[in-house]
Amino acid sequence: MPLAKEVKTQAITDFSRHDGDTGSADVQIAIMTRRIQQLTEHLRSNKHDQSCRRGLLRLVGQRRRMLAYLRKSDYPRYLAVTEKLSLRRTK
């Protein structure tokens, strides 16, 4: 099931860098984080849903790569995003 439109819109408004910004790394990481939280809750009640587990692992890897890109290109923004989403950071 996809992410609810309201949740996605809220993530976009919270993390957009300018009006109409829907594709910056900040926004993409926020949307992925919301989706990961949703899939994690689904897997807690449906432990044997292997296709969902595969999708979750793929999404986590995608977010990790996006965070690595943001860390390399703009470290202060990386710190701000990880702080706001309460994600653990690598040193």
Side-chain angles (χ1 to χ4, degrees):
M1 81 185 86
L3 202 56
K5 186 173 184 170
E6 300 82 30
V7 175
K8 193 171 185 176
T9 306
Q10 184 63 38
I12 290 171
T13 56
D14 288 347
F15 289 90
S16 62
R17 301 182 69 202
H18 54 81
D19 291 338
D21 176 23
T22 58
S24 68
D26 307 3
V27 173
Q28 289 184 52
I29 290 168
I31 291 172
M32 282 186 227
T33 300
R34 301 288 196 278
R35 183 80 175 119
I36 287 169
Q37 290 167 347
Q38 180 184 6
L39 289 173
T40 303
E41 286 302 313
H42 171 76
L43 276 172
R44 285 199 176 115
S45 59
N46 301 285
K47 296 183 188 308
H48 297 289
D49 190 351
Q50 297 304 318
S51 61
C52 178
R53 185 177 313 280
R54 180 182 184 276
L56 174 65
L57 291 174
R58 184 171 175 260
L59 201 57
V60 167
Q62 208 172 5
R63 182 182 69 177
R64 198 179 96 226
R65 286 190 301 275
M66 186 69 70
L67 282 167
Y69 162 77
L70 189 61
R71 181 175 182 223
K72 183 176 68 174
S73 63
D74 192 354
Y75 193 71
R77 252 177 60 208
Y78 166 78
L79 291 175
V81 168
T82 54
E83 183 68 33
K84 198 167 183 181
L85 290 172
S86 3
L87 298 173
R88 289 184 292 172
R89 293 192 294 265
T90 57
K91 303 239 180 200

